[in-house]
Amino acid sequence: MAEERLQMRTQFPASAESQKPRLKKAPEFPILEKQNWLIHLHYIRKDYEACKVVIKEQLQETQGLCEYAIYVQALIFRLEGNIQESLELFQTCAILSPQCADNLKQVARSLFLLGKHKAATEVYNEAAKLNQKDWEICHNLGVCYIYLKQFNKAQDQLHSALHLNKHDLTYIMLGKIHLLEGDLDKAIEIYKQAVEFSPENTELLTTLGLLYLQLGIYQKAFEHLGNALTYDPTNYKAILAAGSMMQTHGDFDVALTKYRVVACAVPESPPLWNNIGMCFFGKKKYVAAISCLKRASYLAPFDWKILYNLGLVHLTMQQYASAFHFLSAAINFQPKMGELYMLLAVALTNLEDTENAKRAYAEAVRLDKHKMVEMAQKLGAALHIGEALVWTKPVKDPKSKHRTTSTSKAASFQQPLGSNQALGQAMSSAAAHRKLPSGAGGTSQPTKPPPLPLEPEPAVETSPAEAPAQISEKQE
């Protein structure tokens, strides 16, 4: 008995693991994001075909619930130009993750690209509720308000974007609002702040230089354009503007040298060919001028400045029917410019259409009386009429009269399009033609200075052509 008790004491108890039932192995569920890394890799390498294959496999495995795969698929659709399809996919992402501001930003951007600016602002406002410190949302809201012509709201949003984070594009869009409102001084102040923030941005330097050029402040214009060319010697906008300044001061050969450089970079630029044509006009090479202006008109058929210059050249060559054609077309695009009606009246007078010429003169006087006084003085000089027969605006003080005359001459020299000098030249040519007896031969060319050039337009385009700021791509 003692031995049996000893054996019972020495036996080890059964382990607890052997007493428990064995658990079955857990089933393997599919991981929704297991191939996101591969999708991201193909996308950043711009291997979109391989990326779409992986996305298709991922969506089949996850039954269409992989948000990242849908997101990248939408980005690829937008890059391929399928904006509506990308919008639908981004909306799906927004449903899967309703608290994600990035998804709403992409929905709004697709709506913007579809031209639905009001709907885009509503979605951007929803995204702003989720993330109030995102400068991209404020910037893009400002751009949408620009397209909706709500400039006050656009300025508020763009200033908010600058307060959160300063970017060059925000300054550019804010400056364009002031240009659309016609406030050059405020636009210049904004671009000056932008240049202080980004002093090596050639686009900002060129735009600021062109704004100074429009105001006739040539020293500052030359300074900023020179800085732009220092950082980028191939900047065709700055070269075109510098050539325009030289052309304005009558240095046509140097201006043409500059334009040759620009022609290599942008051979299909309408302002370039317009300026080249006016250089030839200043050199009295009228056939070459018409050829260049016709090319500019072919590239930009709705640019009234080119049509104006074509009418001016034809009027100088005493081709009045052609001048009437181009001036009429220019008036259709710029009906509030008195000089166009005056030139049209000159052409009609030489075409012996007296009634319509009187109407054109009357419209020109109604639109711009000051310009008509200047042209009357020039016409009087061309017709050899004494100064006593030319009406001048009465001035109280002789000193102020002298000061006004000198200021008028300076302003006349700084105006684009050759408005004063070329108009005087064209009208002198027409007057000389009218003084000849019937059947007389050709007239000698007028000796007045050549016309001033058309200033370049690319960097001072006033329509907000830029799309909203680029949205950062969503990462894994």
Side-chain angles (χ1 to χ4, degrees):
M1 291 292 295
E3 293 179 357
E4 291 178 358
R5 289 178 181 176
L6 183 61
Q7 290 177 358
M8 291 177 64
R9 288 177 182 175
T10 56
Q11 287 180 354
F12 295 99
S15 63
E17 295 181 358
S18 61
Q19 294 177 358
K20 293 182 180 180
R22 290 187 177 182
L23 297 177
K24 295 182 179 179
K25 187 177 181 181
E28 294 184 359
F29 293 101
I31 301 175
L32 298 180
E33 294 84 12
K34 67 179 181 180
Q35 294 193 48
N36 284 2
W37 67 273
L38 186 56
I39 294 172
H40 175 71
L41 186 64
H42 286 306
Y43 181 79
I44 62 174
R45 290 179 176 178
K46 298 184 179 180
D47 189 0
Y48 299 132
E49 295 302 322
C51 187
K52 287 192 285 188
V53 172
V54 179
I55 289 172
K56 185 177 180 180
E57 295 176 356
Q58 181 82 331
L59 292 177
Q60 287 177 349
E61 292 180 4
T62 61
Q63 299 179 354
L65 297 177
C66 181
E67 179 190 349
Y68 186 75
I70 299 173
Y71 186 94
V72 177
Q73 180 75 72
L75 291 176
I76 294 174
F77 277 155
R78 193 162 65 193
L79 289 172
E80 294 174 345
N82 301 320
I83 310 299
Q84 184 62 41
E85 290 80 355
S86 73
L87 172 62
E88 295 172 358
L89 291 178
F90 282 129
Q91 288 173 337
T92 303
C93 293
I95 293 173
L96 293 174
S97 297
Q99 299 302 316
C100 180
D102 287 337
N103 291 335
L104 293 178
K105 286 162 59 177
Q106 296 291 5
V107 171
R109 180 168 173 78
S110 294
L111 288 170
F112 173 85
L113 294 175
L114 289 172
K116 300 177 181 179
H117 303 120
K118 187 175 181 180
T121 57
E122 295 175 357
V123 179
Y124 274 127
N125 284 321
E126 292 295 325
K129 294 178 182 178
L130 300 175
N131 188 355
Q132 297 179 355
K133 296 184 178 180
D134 192 335
W135 77 271
E136 290 181 355
I137 296 176
C138 296
H139 174 91
N140 294 341
L141 265 173
V143 175
C144 290
Y145 283 129
I146 290 175
Y147 280 92
L148 294 173
K149 307 298 182 184
Q150 300 178 13
F151 297 134
N152 291 332
K153 291 184 178 180
Q155 291 185 46
D156 293 339
Q157 292 295 333
L158 292 173
H159 281 297
S160 299
L162 290 175
H163 179 72
L164 293 171
N165 202 345
K166 293 183 178 180
H167 285 80
D168 298 347
L169 188 57
T170 307
Y171 280 112
I172 291 173
M173 299 308 299
L174 191 57
K176 287 192 174 183
I177 293 177
H178 295 304
L179 290 177
L180 287 171
E181 294 178 336
D183 194 341
L184 289 181
D185 294 332
K186 287 186 178 180
I188 288 176
E189 289 300 321
I190 292 297
Y191 282 111
K192 286 171 64 177
Q193 296 176 18
V195 169
E196 291 177 1
F197 168 71
S198 181
E200 297 183 5
N201 188 314
T202 56
E203 182 179 357
L204 293 173
L205 290 169
T206 303
T207 304
L208 187 56
L210 285 172
L211 290 176
Y212 280 125
L213 190 60
Q214 282 189 350
L215 295 177
I217 308 175
Y218 294 108
Q219 183 63 35
K220 290 187 177 181
F222 187 79
E223 176 185 347
H224 288 89
L225 293 173
N227 290 336
L229 291 174
T230 301
Y231 293 116
D232 183 9
T234 61
N235 188 330
Y236 71 90
K237 294 181 181 179
I239 298 174
L240 187 61
S244 176
M245 291 179 61
M246 297 170 186
Q247 185 176 353
T248 300
H249 291 85
D251 199 347
F252 302 114
D253 293 326
V254 178
L256 287 172
T257 303
K258 297 291 184 182
Y259 293 149
R260 289 192 187 97
V261 178
V262 180
C264 296
V266 281
E268 305 299 326
S269 170
L272 169 65
W273 289 105
N274 177 84
N275 286 10
I276 292 175
M278 296 312 290
C279 274
F280 284 126
F281 180 70
K283 293 166 68 72
K284 297 185 179 180
K285 297 181 179 180
Y286 300 126
V287 176
I290 289 177
S291 299
C292 295
L293 289 171
K294 286 287 184 68
R295 180 166 184 175
S297 180
Y298 173 79
L299 295 171
F302 303 120
D303 191 333
W304 70 270
K305 296 181 182 179
I306 299 172
L307 297 170
Y308 174 101
N309 290 337
L310 275 168
L312 196 63
V313 177
H314 282 294
L315 196 61
T316 304
M317 295 183 69
Q318 300 174 4
Q319 297 174 350
Y320 303 112
S322 297
F324 172 80
H325 168 75
F326 290 111
L327 292 171
S328 299
I331 288 174
N332 289 330
F333 297 114
Q334 190 73 9
K336 301 297 183 181
M337 186 175 181
E339 294 177 10
L340 286 171
Y341 286 97
M342 186 184 63
L343 287 179
L344 185 66
V346 174
L348 289 169
T349 302
N350 286 276
L351 292 172
E352 299 181 356
D353 190 350
T354 309
E355 292 299 324
N356 287 323
K358 289 180 179 178
R359 294 177 184 175
Y361 276 125
E363 185 66 18
V365 171
R366 186 185 69 83
L367 292 173
D368 193 350
K369 294 182 179 180
H370 178 70
K371 182 63 68 176
M372 295 305 104
V373 173
E374 290 185 4
M375 290 303 106
Q377 294 174 350
K378 291 181 180 293
L379 187 58
L383 296 175
H384 304 289
I385 298 175
E387 293 184 358
L389 298 179
V390 180
W391 182 86
T392 57
K393 187 176 180 180
V395 183
K396 296 181 180 179
D397 187 6
K399 295 183 179 179
S400 63
K401 179 179 178 181
H402 177 72
R403 184 165 55 250
T404 305
T405 305
S406 61
T407 306
S408 173
K409 289 182 180 179
S412 155
F413 183 72
Q414 293 175 357
Q415 289 191 9
L417 293 173
S419 53
N420 287 341
Q421 295 174 348
L423 285 173
Q425 181 178 354
M427 295 184 69
S428 299
S429 178
H433 177 69
R434 297 290 291 176
K435 288 193 296 181
L436 286 175
S438 59
T443 61
S444 60
Q445 292 295 334
T447 58
K448 288 187 176 289
L452 299 176
L454 172 67
E455 295 180 1
E457 296 178 345
V460 290
E461 184 69 26
T462 57
S463 60
E466 281 85 352
Q470 293 294 327
I471 308 299
S472 57
E473 306 297 352
K474 188 174 181 181
Q475 303 297 327
E476 183 181 354

